[in-house]
C-alpha cells in the first residue's frame, strides 16, 4: 500500500550528460516523476541539466535548475521540507548525493527520508569492502581481490596474485579512472590515477576474468520482499570491455536454462540481503566450461542497463521502482502494458534485442579507440528483430555513422593485421571479425582469439553467407531469394551493393513482388496476453499487427543515438513536438532507435516504431501509416537528412520543405540569398580539391576556418593562421571527400538565436550571447541569456536579420542562426532550419514555447493566430547561463576547446544577477576551483595582456598564482606575484608535477594548440579532474564569477518564470 | 529443407520448412513462452503427443546436453519454431531427427501464438501438403507409454523414504527431492498404491504427466487412500488427480499455461513468486468440495495453482516447484515437504 505519510518528494536528477551517465537518467527520472504524480504526491525535482524532459516545468510542481552539490540540495531541502527523496533514478550522481546528504546529517536534521533503497543498502553495494564482505557471507563467488588505499599495497597484491589485474576505483562513473594493468609499470600508473579518481581514495584490485561471458540481470524487489528478474542480457563482448561499450543482447542467447536460473537465484539472494527496495542491476562473469560464475558488480539503482531492459522488454523499471519507493508492492502496481496483470511478473520476449554503442571516435581522431574497463561511448542504439543476425544488422544501420557492420575499407587490410585487431578490441572489432569471416577464417580460431561465443560468430557467418548468396544471384535475384534475404536481415542497401543495383531499385523490386515488412508488438508477454502497448518493430513475417490510427496522423522522426553534436536536446525537442501534436488531437507516431531516451518511451506517443532512422525503414513505416505529414525538424541532422527521401516518396514534410533545407545547406544558394537581402557573412569559398583550396585561400585571407561541407557539430573544423597550417589541415584526411569550405575567420563575439517563422511573422525566442569569441564551437561556449551589454540597436539588427533570412529562405518552423559581431559589424556564420540544441534551455528560461509554436506552424497555423509576438520574445528579469560539460578524461584527448564541438552535456545557472548565475553554472559544471586553490597561468603572447588582467583579479580574490616563464615575467612586470614553474619537460619538477602533486585547482592555458607539452599538461589535468580553461574569455568569466561571494535566492524555475527574483 | 506447414482445425495455415524427423504428424498445438530450456521441455513427458510451439524465435542456440534432459527421450510430437540454430553440442535439429520429432521452422510463431491465445488450444497437423486435420486424440493415452519408457532412477540410500507415483515424471523432481535429503523410489501409476502403506514409504509425490486428468480418474481412489494416510504432494497432473480424488473436477483452460514466468500467490503468506507452468487443465473453483482449500493462485488469471486437503498432510501444486526449466523460486516446496516428513 502506498505510504500515506509521503506527501511530497524530491527527485534528484543526474546532472550533465557525461560519458557513463547520459540520457537514460532523463528517461528514468521522467518516469519516476510521472509515477509519483499519479500517486497524488507533490513532486519536486532538482537537476542542473536543462536539456532534459524531466526538467519540464509542467511535469513537477517545482523544478530546481540548481547545481547538484551538497550545499545547493541542502538549501532546497530546507526550503521545501519534503517527506522523502528519490535518489535512485539520478544515476551515480543521485546516489552519491544521497549518501553525502546522509553523512552530513542533513537528512536527519530535516526529517527527510531516503525512499526506496536506503543509504545502508547503497553503501553495502557501493563500498567495495562492505560488498565483498557481504558476498563472502552469502558464499557468492567473487574474483580474488584486495582493496587498497595506496599504491604500495597494490603492488604487493600483484606479487601474490600475478598480472593482469583489473583496477576499479570506488564510487566513480562509467568505470572512470579504472583499467586493466598488464605489467607493473602500468599497474603503478593506473593505481595512482584510480586512487585519485575515487572520491573516497579507494581502489579495488582484482583478478582478471577477461574472456568470460558477461551477463547482466535487471531485478526489481519491493518492500515486502517480492522479487522479479525483469530481464537478463548477455554481452557479445566478453568480460574485459565495459558493458557500456559492449554489444549487448537480450535475452541471453547462449546460456542454458540452469545457468540462467543459477544466476537469477544468486541475484535474488544478493538483492534480498542488500535490502534493495526498487531496481537493481547485477553483473556476472560466467565460465560455461568450468560451470562457474563470479559476481562482478551490483548497482542498487536504475541504470543505463535498466533503461535498455525497459525498452527491450516493455517493462517500465524506473516507474515501478518509483512506486515501490512510496510503499507500493509489485502486485499492487498495474502492468501498464496488459492493464489486466500486475508488475509482479517477468517479461517473455519473442524477439531478439541487440544494443550497439555509439562511440565519438569519428570526431576525435586522436582518441585511443581501444576498449577496456573505462567506458568511452556517448550513446547507443537498439534494434529488435526475430533473429540475432537480423537484429545486429539493424542495430548497425541505426548508428548513423559512415561505417557499417561490413566495412569495405577492411578489404585492403592484410590478414595478420586483422587478427591483431580482432584480438585487441577497439570499437571496430566486429567489422574486423566480419572481414575475417568473409575471407573464410575458421570460426573456431576467431572464437579462440576473441572469446566471442560461437553462436554469435555463427550468426555473423550467416550474414556473410546470405550476402554471398545474393551476390551470386546478381541480376537474377528472384522473389524467393529476395524475400529470404530480407528475412535474413539484409538491408536494401546491402542487397543493392551485392547485386549491382541502387537502393531505390531494390525497393521497387520489393514493392513489385509484395515483399514488405510487417510490424509486431512489443508486449512483455510473447503474445500470451492481449496487450495495449503501441510499441512496434518491423520484420519480415506472415502476420502484421498494426491497425489504422484515426487521422490525422503525423510521423515525428527522432534523432537516433546520442553523440557529440547531437545530444539529448534533440530528444527533448522531439518529445515536446509529440506533446504539441497530441494536444491538438493529432496522432503522433515516433520513429527512433535510441533505447536511452524519453522519446522511445512507448507511453509518450500514439505509436512508437523502434526502427533505424534510415530511408528504407522510414519509408516503409510511412507507407503503412500514410501520415498527413512528417516532422523532420526536431530530430537533429539525422532527421533533416531524411527530408528529401520523405518528400520524394510523396509524403509532405511539415513546415519547412526539403527544398528550403537544401537552400540553407547549399553554400552557393545560401550566399546568393544573403547577398540579395543585403546581409553580410564572412567571405568564403568552396574548393573541390586540396590544391584548389590552397590556391583560393589567399583570396579569402587568413585566418581561415576550414571544414567539410554538410557538417554536424563542427566535425573536422579547424582554424588556420597561415598556408602551412592550412596544408596541415588539408592533409590530415579528416575533411572527407566532398567539398571543402574556407571561410574568413572573424574573431568577434558570437551570438545565436532560435526563432520560429511562419512565412509572414518571425518570433525570435531569444538571443544567446557566447562568452567565448567565435572560433570556439557554439556548443562548447558558455552562453548567456538574456545577452549582456548588447545595445538596442544591435538587438534590433539581429531580429531584423533573423526575419530577413527566415522569410527569404521560406522557413516555416524552426530556425537557428549564429552571428558574429566585431567592431559593430554583424555577420551571419550559419543558419540551420531545424530545432537546435539550445531550444530546451531557451524555452525554460524565456518561457517561449518554441517547439509548440513551430509544430503548430507545421500544422498550418499562423503565428499571429497563435498570439506569438512578431519580433523578440520578452526577456525575463533574471539571467541564465548555459555551460558546457566535457568528458575528456574518459577519452584521453586534449582538453582544449576549438571550432570542433567536444562537449557531451550542459548545465545551467539561474540567478537574478549575472555573476551569480555564471558562478552557479561553473559550480554545476565542476569547473569552479576551491577557495584559495592554486591557479596555473600560461598565456599566449597574443593574449598576454588579457591574461594579466585575469591574473590580477584572481590574485585579489586570494588565489595563489603559478606561471610558466613568459607569463611569469609578464605578471611580474605588472607587479603581480606568481611562483615560476618550469614548463613541461624544462626541469624537474615541472608544471605536470605541480598538477599531479595536487597543488593546482585551476589551469588557464591559452597558448596556441598543437604543442606537445601543452597536451601532456592538459592530459595530467583532466586525469586529476583539475579544470583547464583554454579560452581567455572563459578565464575572464571565471574571475568575474569567483568575485561574487553572496549567495542568491533558492528559487524554482516556476517561480523564476512567474517573475519572482527573491 | 522441404516446405511444409502447420494446418489447424480451423483452417488457418502457418507455412515453414520441415526439419528434424520431417514426417507428417498431428497433435495438440500448445505454445510455451520460456526463452531457454528447450531441451527440458522437449524431454518433459507432460508434452507427450503435443506439437510444441516456442514463442522465443531462436531455439537451439546452445545445442543439446544430456544433463538438461528431463527424461530419456523427447516426448513432444513436433516442434514449431521461427528459427532452429544449428549449434553444438548435439545440434537440436539433428537430435530431433534421431528422436523422431518433426520440426517446422521459419514459422511466424507469434502469429500462431496469437491465434492460440484467441481461439484456444487447437488440434493441428504438420505436413508438406494440406490434408484433413483431426479428429483430436486424447493425450492421456500417452501416460502408460511415458511411464513404461522411463528408466529406473539411480538408487539413493540415505534419508526419508519418498515414493514418486509416476504419471510421466520429470527428472528434476527426483533431483530436487534427493538434494533435499530424500531416499527416492519411483512406482508406475498403475501399481496398487495401497502397497505404499506397507513398504515403509514416509511421503508420496504424485507426479506430472500428459493428458486430461478427467480421463485418468480411475487413479483417483488409490491416490485418496494414500493421501488420507501419508504426507502427499501432487505436482501438476498429480495435483489435479489429488483434487479429483477428494471430489473436485478439472476443466480445460482456453490455451493453457506453458511458460516459466507465471506469478503465483501463496495465500498463506500473501507473497508471490515466479513459477514454471505446463498445464492445459486446472481444478475448477466451483467444483471444490469442503475438504479442499486453495493455497495458491495465479496472479494473472486467478487459476487455482495449489490446494491442501483439510486435516491431512496432503497438498497439490499446479505449477512445477522442481522448475526444469524455469525459476527456482519454488524449490522450497519440495525441500519443505521432505524436511517435514516424520515430524
Amino acid at each position: 500500500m502506498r505510504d500515506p505519510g509521503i506527501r511530497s518528494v524530491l527527485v534528484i536528477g543526474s546532472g550533465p550528460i557525461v560519458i557513463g551517465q547520459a540520457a537514460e537518467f532523463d528517461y528514468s527520472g521522467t518516469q519516476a516523476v510521472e509515477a509519483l504524480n499519479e500517486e497524488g504526491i507533490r513532486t519536486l525535482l532538482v537537476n542542473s541539466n536543462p536539456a532534459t524532459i524531466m526538467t519540464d516545468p509542467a511535469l513537477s510542481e517545482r523544478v530546481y535548475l540548481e547545481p547538484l552539490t551538497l550545499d545547493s540540495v541542502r538549501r532546497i531541502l530546507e526550503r521545501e521540507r519534503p517527506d522523502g527523496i528519490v535518489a535512485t533514478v539520478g544515476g551515480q550522481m543521485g546516489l552519491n548525493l544521497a549518501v553525502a546528504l546522509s553523512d552530513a546529517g542533513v537528512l536527519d536534521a530535516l526529517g527527510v527520508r531516503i525512499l526506496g533503497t536506503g543509504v545502508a543498502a547503497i553503501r553495502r553495494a557501493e563500498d567495495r569492502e562492505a560488498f565483498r564482505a557481504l558476498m563472502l557471507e552469502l558464499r557468492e563467488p567473487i574474483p580474488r581481490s584486495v582493496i587498497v588505499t595506496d599504491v604500495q599495497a597494490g603492488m604487493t597484491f600483484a606479487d601474490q596474485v600475478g598480472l593482469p589485474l583489473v583496477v576499479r576505483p570506488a564510487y566513480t562513473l562509467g568505470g572512470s579512472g579504472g583499467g586493466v594493468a598488464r605489467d607493473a609499470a602500468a599497474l603503478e600508473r593506473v593505481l595512482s590515477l584510480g586512487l585519485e579518481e575515487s572520491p573516497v581514495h579507494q581502489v579495488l584490485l582484482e583478478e582478471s576474468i577477461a574472456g568470460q561471458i558477461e551477463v547482466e540481470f535487471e531485478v526489481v524487489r519491493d518492500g515486502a520482499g517480492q522479487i522479479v528478474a525483469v530481464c537478463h542480457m548477455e554481452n557479445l563482448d566478453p568480460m574485459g570491455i565495459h558493458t557500456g561499450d559492449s554489444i549487448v543482447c537480450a535475452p541471453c542467447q547462449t546460456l542454458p536454462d540452469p545457468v540462467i536460473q543459477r544466476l537469477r537465484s544468486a541475484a535474488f539472494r544478493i538483492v534480498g540481503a542488500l535490502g534493495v527496495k526498487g531496481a537493481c542491476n547485477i553483473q556476472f562473469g560466467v565460465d560455461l566450461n568450468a560451470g562457474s560464475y563470479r559476481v562482478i558488480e551490483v548497482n542498487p539503482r536504475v541504470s543505463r542497463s535498466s533503461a535498455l531492459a525497459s525498452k527491450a522488454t516493455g517493462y517500465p523499471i524506473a516507474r515501478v521502482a518509483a512506486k515501490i519507493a512510496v510503499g507500493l508492492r509489485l502486485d499492487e502496481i498495474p502492468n501498464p502494458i496488459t492493464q489486466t496483470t500486475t508488475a509482479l511478473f517477468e517479461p517473455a520476449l519473442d524477439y531478439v534485442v541487440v544494443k550497439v554503442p555509439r562511440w565519438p571516435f569519428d570526431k576525435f581522431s586522436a582518441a585511443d579507440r581501444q576498449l577496456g574497463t573505462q567506458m568511452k561511448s556517448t550513446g547507443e542504439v537498439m534494434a529488435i528483430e526475430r533473429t540475432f543476425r537480423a537484429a545486429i544488422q539493424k542495430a548497425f544501420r541505426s548508428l548513423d555513422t559512415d561505417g557499417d557492420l561490413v566495412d569495405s575499407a577492411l578489404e585492403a587490410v592484410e590478414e595478420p593485421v586483422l587478427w591483431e585487431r580482432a584480438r585487441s578490441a577497439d570499437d571496430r572489432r566486429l567489422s574486423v571479425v566480419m572481414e575475417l569471416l568473409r575471407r573464410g577464417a575458421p570460426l573456431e580460431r576467431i572464437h579462440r582469439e576473441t572469446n566471442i561465443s560461437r553462436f554469435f560468430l555463427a550468426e555473423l557467418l550467416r550474414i556473410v553467407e546470405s550476402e554471398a548468396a545474393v551476390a551470386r544471384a546478381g541480376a537474377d535475384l528472384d522473389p524467393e531469394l529476395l524475400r529470404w534475404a530480407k528475412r535474413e536481415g539484409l538491408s536494401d542497401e546491402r542487397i543493392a551493393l551485392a547485386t549491382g543495383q541502387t537502393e531505390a531499385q531494390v525497393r521497387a523490386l520489393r514493392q513489385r513482388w509484395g515483399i514488405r515488412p510487417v510490424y509486431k508488438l512489443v508486449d512483455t508477454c510473447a503474445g500470451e496476453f492481449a496487450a495495449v502497448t503501441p510499441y512496434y518493430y518491423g520484420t519480415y513475417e506472415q502476420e502484421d499487427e498494426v491497425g489504422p490510427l484515426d487521422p490525422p496522423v503525423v510521423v515525428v522522426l527522432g534523432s537516433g543515438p546520442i553523440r557529440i553534436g547531437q545530444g539529448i536536446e534533440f530528444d527533448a525537442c522531439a518529445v515536446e513536438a509529440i506533446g504539441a501534436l497530441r494536444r491538438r488531437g493529432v496522432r503522433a507516431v515516433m520513429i527512433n532507435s535510441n533505447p536511452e531516451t524519453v522519446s522511445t518511451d512507448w507511453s509518450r506517443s500514439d505509436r512508437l516504431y523502434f526502427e533505424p532512422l534510415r530511408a528504407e525503414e522510414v519509408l516503409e513505416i510511412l507507407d503503412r501509416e500514410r501520415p498527413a505529414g512528417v516532422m523532420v525538424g526536431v530530430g537533429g541532422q539525422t532527421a533533416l537528412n531524411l527530408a528529401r527521401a520523405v518528400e520524394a516518396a510523396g509524403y509532405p514534410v511539415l513546415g519547412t520543405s526539403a527544398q528550403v533545407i537544401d537552400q540553407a545547406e547549399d553554400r552557393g544558394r545560401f550566399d546568393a540569398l544573403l547577398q540579395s537581402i543585403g546581409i553580410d557573412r564572412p567571405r568564403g569559398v568552396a574548393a573541390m580539391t586540396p590544391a584548389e583550396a590552397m590556391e583560393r585561400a589567399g583570396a579569402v585571407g587568413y585566418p581561415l576556418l576550414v571544414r567539410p561541407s554538410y557538417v554536424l557539430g563542427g566535425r573536422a573544423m579547424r582554424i588556420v593562421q597561415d598556408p602551412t597550417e592550412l596544408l596541415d589541415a588539408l592533409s590530415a584526411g579528416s575533411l572527407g571527400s566532398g567539398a571543402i569550405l574556407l571561410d574568413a575567420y572573424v574573431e568577434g563575439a558570437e551570438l545565436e538565436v532560435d526563432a520560429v517563422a511562419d512565412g509572414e511573422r518571425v518570433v525570435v525566442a531569444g538571443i544567446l550571447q557566447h562568452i567565448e569569441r567565435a572560433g570556439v564551437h557554439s556548443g562548447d561556449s558558455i552562453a548567456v541569456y538574456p545577452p549582456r551589454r548588447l545595445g538596442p540597436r544591435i538587438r534590433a539588427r539581429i531580429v531584423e536579420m533573423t526575419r530577413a533570412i527566415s522569410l527569404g529562405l521560406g522557413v516555416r518552423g524552426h530556425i537557428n542562426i549564429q552571428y558574429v559581431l566585431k567592431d559593430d559589424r554583424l555577420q551571419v556564420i550559419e543558419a540551420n532550419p531545424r530545432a537546435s540544441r539550445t531550444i530546451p534551455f531557451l524555452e525554460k528560461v524565456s518561457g517561449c514555447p518554441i517547439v509548440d509554436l513551430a509544430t503548430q506552424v507545421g500544422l498550418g497555423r499562423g503565428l499571429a493566430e497563435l498570439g506569438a509576438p512578431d519580433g523578440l520574445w520578452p526577456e525575463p528579469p533574471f539571467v541564465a547561463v548555459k555551460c558546457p560539460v566535457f568528458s575528456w578524461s574518459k577519452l584521453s584527448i586534449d582538453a582544449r576547446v576549438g571550432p570542433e564541438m567536444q562537449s557531451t552535456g550542459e548545465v545551467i545557472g539561474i540567478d537574478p544577477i549575472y555573476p551569480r548565475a555564471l558562478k552557479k553554472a561553473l559550480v554545476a559544471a565542476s569547473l569552479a576551483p576551491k577557495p584559495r586553490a592554486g591557479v596555473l597561468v600560461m598565456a599566449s603572447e597574443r593574449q598576454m595582456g588579457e591574461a594579466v588582467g585575469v591574473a590580477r583579479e584572481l590574485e585579489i580574490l586570494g588565489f595563489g598564482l603559478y606561471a610558466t616563464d613568459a607569463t611569469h615575467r609578464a605578471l611580474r612586470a605588472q607587479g603581480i606575484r606568481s611562483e615560476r614553474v618550469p614548463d613541461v619537460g624544462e626541469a624537474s619538477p615541472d608544471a605536470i608535477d605541480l598538477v599531479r602533486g595536487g597543488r593546482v585547482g585551476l589551469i588557464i592555458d591559452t597558448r596556441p594548440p598543437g604543442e606537445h607539452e601543452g597536451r601532456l599538461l592538459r592530459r595530467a589535468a583532466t586525469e586529476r579532474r583539475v579544470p583547464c580553461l583554454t579560452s581567455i574569455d572563459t578565464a575572464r568569466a571565471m574571475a568575474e564569477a569567483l568575485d561574487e561571494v553572496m549567495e542568491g535566492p533558492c528559487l524554482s524555475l516556476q517561480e523564476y518564470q512567474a517573475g519572482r527574483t527573491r | 529443407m522441404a516446405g511444409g506447414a502447420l494446418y489447424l482445425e480451423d483452417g488457418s495455415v502457418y507455412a515453414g520448412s520441415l526439419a528434424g524427423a520431417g514426417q507428417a504428424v498431428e497433435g495438440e498445438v500448445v505454445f510455451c513462452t520460456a526463452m531457454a530450456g528447450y531441451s527440458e521441455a522437449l524431454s518433459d513427458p507432460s508434452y507427450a503427443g503435443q506439437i510444441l510451439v516456442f514463442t522465443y524465435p531462436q531455439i537451439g542456440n546452445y545445442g543439446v546436453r544430456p544433463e538438461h534432459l528431463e527424461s530419456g527421450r523427447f516426448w513432444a510430437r513436433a516442434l514449431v519454431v521461427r528459427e532452429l540454430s544449428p549449434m553444438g553440442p548435439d545440434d537440436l535439429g539433428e537430435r530431433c531427427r534421431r528422436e523422431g520429432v518433426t520440426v517446422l521452422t521459419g514459422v511466424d510463431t507469434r502469429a500462431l501464438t496469437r491465434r492460440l491465445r484467441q481461439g484456444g488450444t487447437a488440434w493441428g497437423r504438420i505436413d508438406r501438403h494440406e490434408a484433413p486435420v483431426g479428429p483430436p486424440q486424447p493425450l492421456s493415452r500417452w501416460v502408460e507409454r511415458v511411464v513404461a519408457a522411463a528408466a529406473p532412477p539411480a538408487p539413493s540410500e540415505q534419508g526419508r523414504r519418498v515414493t514418486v507415483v509416476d504419471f510421466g515424471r520429470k527428472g528434476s523432481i527426483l533431483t530436487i527431492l534427493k538434494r533435499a535429503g530424500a531416499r527416492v523410489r519411483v512406482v508406475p501409476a498403475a501399481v496398487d498404491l495401497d502397497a505404499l502403506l506397507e513398504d515403509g514409504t514416509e511421503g508420496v509425490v504424485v507426479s506430472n504427466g500428459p493428458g486430461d486428468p478427467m480421463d485418468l480418474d480411475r487413479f483417483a481412489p488409490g491416490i485418496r487412500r494414500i493421501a488420507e494416510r501419508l504426507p502427499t504432494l501432487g505436482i501438476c497432473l498429480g495435483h489435479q488427480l489429488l483434487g479429483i480424488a477428494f471430489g473436485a473436477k478439472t476443466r480445460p483452460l482456453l490455451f493453457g499455461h506453458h511458460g516459466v514466468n507465471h506469478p503465483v500467490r501463496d495465500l498463506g503468506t500473501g507473497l508471490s513468486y515466479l513459477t514454471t507452468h505446463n498445464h492445459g487443465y486446472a481444478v475448477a473453483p466451483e467444483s471444490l468440495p469442503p475438504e479442499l482449500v486453495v493455497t495458491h493462485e495465479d496472479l494473472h488469471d486467478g487459476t487455482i495453482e495449489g490446494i491442501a486437503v483439510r486435516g491431512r498432510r496432503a497438498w497439490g501444486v499446479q505449477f512445477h516447484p522442481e522448475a526444469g526449466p524455469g525459476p527456482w523460486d519454488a524449490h522450497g516446496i519440495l525441500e519443505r515437504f521432505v524436511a517435514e516428513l516424520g515430524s
Side-chain angles (χ1 to χ4, degrees), chain A residues 132 142-148 150-169 177-192 194 203-210 239-241 372-374:
Chain A
R132 197 163 59 146
I142 49 174
R144 278 192 297 169
S145 64
V146 67
I147 285 157
V148 296
D150 65 79
V151 173
Q152 192 44 50
M155 302 309 284
T156 311
F157 179 71
D159 289 342
Q160 294 159 5
V161 180
L163 291 158
L165 287 174
V166 183
V167 180
R168 297 175 187 271
V180 178
R182 294 177 202 288
D183 56 56
L187 179 62
E188 193 165 349
R189 189 171 49 82
V190 181
L191 252 183
S192 71
V203 157
L204 178 82
L205 261 187
E206 71 186 11
E207 147 200 16
S208 169
I209 51 166
M239 286 295 314
I241 296 178
T373 56
Q374 181 161 298

Side-chain angles (χ1 to χ4, degrees), chain A residues 117-164:
Chain A
T117 302
V119 168
I122 294 170
R123 245 193 261 281
R124 268 194 118 176
E126 296 277 316
D127 184 283
R128 301 282 175 193
E129 193 101 50
F131 181 69
R132 197 163 59 146
L134 179 68
M135 291 305 104
L136 292 174
E137 187 188 315
L138 296 173
R139 305 176 68 122
E140 288 294 340
I142 49 174
R144 278 192 297 169
S145 64
V146 67
I147 285 157
V148 296
T149 50
D150 65 79
V151 173
Q152 192 44 50
M155 302 309 284
T156 311
F157 179 71
D159 289 342
Q160 294 159 5
V161 180
L163 291 158

Side-chain angles (χ1 to χ4, degrees), chain A residues 908-922:
Chain A
I908 189 175
I910 304 188
D911 197 89
I913 64 163
Y914 168 70
R916 287 199 308 242
L918 179 62
K919 188 174 182 185
K920 265 189 192 171
L922 294 171

Side-chain angles (χ1 to χ4, degrees), chain A residues 609-852:
Chain A
Y609 286 92
F610 214 104
E611 288 281 288
L613 289 157
R614 298 288 284 255
E616 176 183 341
E617 285 82 0
V618 168
L619 295 183
E620 286 294 344
I621 294 165
L622 297 183
D623 286 349
R624 288 309 311 276
E625 293 290 349
R626 305 250 145 220
V630 181
M631 286 192 69
V632 301
V634 288
Q637 200 63 35
T638 301
L640 208 64
N641 289 345
L642 287 161
R644 260 156 294 179
V646 167
E647 275 196 355
Y651 296 99
V653 165
L654 285 196
T656 307
S657 69
Q659 186 261 329
V660 170
I661 295 166
D662 271 349
Q663 191 183 357
E665 286 181 348
D666 182 298
R667 185 188 180 82
R669 291 168 65 193
F670 186 57
D671 277 351
L673 168 77
L674 290 184
Q675 208 160 23
S676 74
I677 53 180
I679 290 175
D680 267 0
R681 73 177 294 178
R683 265 170 307 130
V685 292
M688 292 315 293
T689 63
E692 192 190 343
M694 290 302 297
E695 192 187 304
R696 302 190 63 179
V700 180
Y702 291 90
L704 276 173
L705 195 64
V706 191
R707 62 192 159 129
S709 59
Y710 289 92
V711 289
L712 175 64
R715 215 165 121 182
M717 202 186 277
R718 272 181 67 176
I719 293 168
V720 295
Q721 301 289 340
D722 52 48
T724 322
E725 285 187 25
L726 177 60
L727 191 63
D728 182 49
L730 292 169
S731 50
S734 53
L735 292 171
S737 52
I740 300 156
L741 305 182
L742 303 169
D743 289 294
Y745 166 54
V746 181
E747 198 184 16
E750 207 170 319
L751 298 152
E752 181 172 358
V753 301
D754 283 302
V756 178
D758 67 357
E760 287 167 20
R761 257 185 196 220
V762 179
V763 52
V764 175
I767 302 168
L768 269 67
Q769 184 173 33
H770 294 188
I771 297 244
E772 290 82 1
R773 61 199 83 174
V776 173
H777 189 277
S778 62
D780 287 354
S781 302
I782 298 178
V784 184
Y785 171 83
R788 306 168 63 231
R789 301 188 195 118
L790 198 63
R793 202 177 50 79
I794 292 290
R795 273 173 209 248
R797 178 86 182 118
I798 289 172
V799 171
E800 194 185 308
M801 281 167 78
T802 303
R803 171 204 298 284
I805 293 169
S806 306
L807 299 182
L809 278 171
V811 167
R812 282 181 170 71
H814 292 284
I815 185 163
N816 167 270
I817 306 178
Q818 282 159 39
Y819 296 97
V820 61
L821 177 67
K822 192 181 184 192
D823 305 330
D824 221 29
R825 181 173 167 208
L826 194 63
Q827 299 185 75
V828 174
I829 304 177
E830 63 175 276
N832 291 304
R834 55 164 168 81
S836 76
R837 73 176 68 80
T838 42
I839 285 183
F841 166 83
L842 191 55
E843 276 196 336
K844 283 175 184 116
V845 293
S846 72
C848 175
I850 307 172
V851 175
D852 190 86

